[in-house]
Amino acid sequence: MIWYPYQQMKTMGAPYEIIDASGVYLYTREQKLIDSVSSWWSVIHGYKHPELNEAITAQVGRFSHVMLGGLTHEPAQALSQRLEQFLPGDLDYCFFSDSGSVAVEVALKMALQYYMNQGDTRRTMILALEHAYHGDTFKTMEAGDDEDYHFVLNAYGPSPHVVHIPTRIQALEEAFGRYHNRLNCLLVEPLLQGAGGMRMYDVSFLKRARELCDQYGVLLIFDEVATGFGRTGNRFVADLVLPDILVLGKALTGGYIGHAVTVASQKVYQGFYDDDPAHALMHGPTFMGNALACSAALKSIELFEREDYMSKIRRIEAVTRRELEGFTDPRVKEVRIMGGCVCVEVLDPAVLQGYQQFACQRGVFSRPFLNYMYAMVPYVIQEEELVQVLSTMKAWFQR
Ligand SMILES: *Cc1c(COP(=O)(O)O)cnc(C)c1O
């Protein structure tokens, strides 16, 4: 029996059973639904994409997986080279792993060990943001600030190794003033905090963060597991402000197979590169660099470039703004739009009770959580389909 995620198994309703999927559509036995969630924000090219299918099938014919311990292969080499060109600055060193949470763990381990390798044992602290989400493993829960994980706080008490601040420059400056020589990193979801409630903040915060990190020798980590590959309307937020470590996941493989990468800058890589074996990065997920995942990721990046996905995302943002122009309701706290993400935050979570079923009746799969009704559609969505998603969101308030 399946134990489903984030659900009270005793009270959860029956999940929709999907028997086929193609383009932006999920098919149940009875109907087709536009996936406005893109399977947790990952399926940017839609389902059953012929070229992605072909890339994976071709690789299956050679081999599906060999480990990177003592072995290497062309798909992993080609993907690391592709990312090196595709990513800004000197983000050139790719450490692969099987999920976003693990890739964030790797980033945090890199940041800690970077200083330990220099004999600096004081820098054990992480500066992170309020409402942050970085994954479900223990260190990422600790770095995160998600209400759903407060049972961890209750069990262990507040962490002495993590400080959470709001996305305000003053709070940032105060935290650096107070903790700078104990911090190894500042970890952020840049511009858009996803699971913490689709919260959006200004790039000026990140610019100031970059300056302070440089001033105090603290590593800046961007968790772009959700924001990477265009979601914010930028290819990567790292195109605007360059971090020392960048984490990608979710859309990396076009949502085909779980895979992620932690990309280090030259400076970070050099902090491990010497004759001492104890200075090596001690990490190695079994399925890192999986050949099917790498083949899918390579094809996904090719499509992203060749089909000019950035213009598709600009179109999604423009249509979203047009459709939600002037939309207000006394139950709505705020409407937020950024790139390929739209969120309607309501004042009371009870307002969204029943919305999933309502949307389903109108041919849209949606998965609101807490006070947030949102859409993060596949980038290949047609205008009429996007209008259908947005009209469904508005219609809920016009009943
Ligand atoms: C989803 C997500 C993760 C975790 O990725 P998994 O592949 O689910 O482990 C980490 N960080 C952010 C910002 C995410 O949105």
Side-chain angles (χ1 to χ4, degrees), residues 34-87:
I34 299 174
D35 184 1
S36 72
V37 183
S38 304
S39 272
W40 270 327
W41 328 337
S42 65
V43 184
I44 57 174
H45 312 287
Y47 296 95
K48 210 189 288 184
H49 191 286
E51 289 188 57
L52 284 162
N53 280 18
E54 162 57 26
I56 290 178
T57 312
Q59 184 56 40
V60 168
R62 295 187 281 270
F63 56 90
S64 296
H65 180 67
V66 298
M67 68 174 179
L68 286 190
L71 303 173
T72 192
H73 55 78
E74 205 261 342
Q77 287 168 336
L79 179 58
S80 70
Q81 279 162 17
R82 192 73 195 82
L83 287 169
E84 202 176 316
Q85 300 162 344
F86 195 55
L87 297 174

Side-chain angles (χ1 to χ4, degrees), residues 41 99-101 133-135 189 223 225-226 250:
W41 328 337
S99 74
S101 304
Y133 175 83
H134 296 291
E189 292 161 89
D223 175 355
V225 170
K250 291 197 165 98

Side-chain angles (χ1 to χ4, degrees), residues 129-157:
L129 301 180
E130 287 176 3
H131 308 291
Y133 175 83
H134 296 291
D136 294 346
T137 55
F138 266 76
K139 197 69 187 177
T140 60
M141 284 192 289
E142 195 183 330
D145 176 37
D146 192 315
E147 287 169 42
D148 288 337
Y149 297 113
H150 281 181
F151 72 92
V152 179
L153 274 185
N154 295 340
Y156 293 100

Side-chain angles (χ1 to χ4, degrees), residues 71 119 146 187 195 223 263 292 299 341 348:
L71 303 173
D146 192 315
L187 168 68
D223 175 355
V263 191
L292 301 182
K299 185 55 75 179
C341 176
D348 177 352

Side-chain angles (χ1 to χ4, degrees), residues 101-360:
S101 304
V102 173
V104 175
E105 294 275 346
V106 170
L108 293 173
K109 195 189 268 191
M110 273 180 189
L112 176 65
Q113 197 181 343
Y114 176 83
Y115 290 102
M116 297 296 283
N117 281 356
Q118 298 170 32
D120 186 342
T121 54
R122 291 168 314 168
R123 290 188 183 264
T124 53
M125 283 175 72
I126 299 166
L127 183 59
L129 301 180
E130 287 176 3
H131 308 291
Y133 175 83
H134 296 291
D136 294 346
T137 55
F138 266 76
K139 197 69 187 177
T140 60
M141 284 192 289
E142 195 183 330
D145 176 37
D146 192 315
E147 287 169 42
D148 288 337
Y149 297 113
H150 281 181
F151 72 92
V152 179
L153 274 185
N154 295 340
Y156 293 100
S159 169
H161 301 296
V162 182
V163 178
H164 290 108
I165 56 166
T167 50
R168 283 201 310 273
I169 289 180
Q170 196 194 344
L172 186 67
E173 290 173 344
E174 279 167 16
F176 269 89
R178 195 151 158 209
Y179 300 108
H180 62 88
N181 58 2
R182 296 177 54 206
L183 296 174
N184 59 58
C185 70
L186 166 60
L187 168 68
V188 298
E189 292 161 89
L191 295 189
L192 171 64
Q193 298 182 284
M198 307 301 164
R199 291 161 198 264
M200 299 168 188
Y201 62 92
D202 196 75
V203 70
S204 57
F205 181 87
L206 297 173
K207 290 188 172 149
R208 186 70 185 120
R210 180 69 273 177
E211 287 170 4
L212 289 163
C213 283
D214 288 340
Q215 183 179 342
Y216 293 111
V218 173
L219 298 176
L220 180 59
I221 305 176
F222 279 6
D223 175 355
E224 293 218 50
V225 170
T227 57
F229 299 99
R231 193 52 76 181
T232 66
N234 306 284
R235 267 177 0 129
F236 301 95
V237 183
D239 288 330
L240 307 178
V241 174
L242 190 65
D244 300 294
I245 301 174
L246 173 67
V247 186
L248 301 174
K250 291 197 165 98
L252 174 67
T253 63
Y256 263 60
I257 306 178
H259 220 64
V261 63
T262 309
V263 191
S265 67
Q266 176 73 16
K267 167 177 140 172
V268 172
Y269 184 72
Q270 286 303 324
F272 292 77
Y273 191 81
D274 63 38
D275 294 320
D276 187 345
H279 288 180
L281 179 63
M282 295 310 287
H283 213 98
T286 303
F287 292 108
M288 72 182 291
N290 174 270
L292 301 182
C294 290
S295 303
L298 276 164
K299 185 55 75 179
S300 174
I301 294 171
E302 184 190 321
L303 289 169
F304 193 94
E305 294 251 273
R306 196 184 73 208
E307 310 286 324
D308 192 9
Y309 272 52
M310 291 313 299
S311 75
K312 293 187 200 296
I313 296 159
R314 279 192 290 275
R315 183 90 193 112
I316 289 171
E317 175 163 356
V319 170
T320 305
R321 290 196 186 280
R322 185 190 76 204
E323 292 298 309
L324 290 176
E325 168 96 58
F327 168 72
T328 53
D329 187 276
R331 291 160 291 183
V332 170
K333 184 173 172 206
E334 192 179 39
V335 176
R336 295 189 281 274
I337 300 167
M338 184 187 276
C341 176
V342 51
C343 176
V344 176
E345 178 174 349
V346 296
L347 291 161
D348 177 352
V351 171
L352 299 180
Q353 280 285 315
Y355 176 66
Q356 187 174 55
Q357 295 73 16
F358 174 87
C360 183

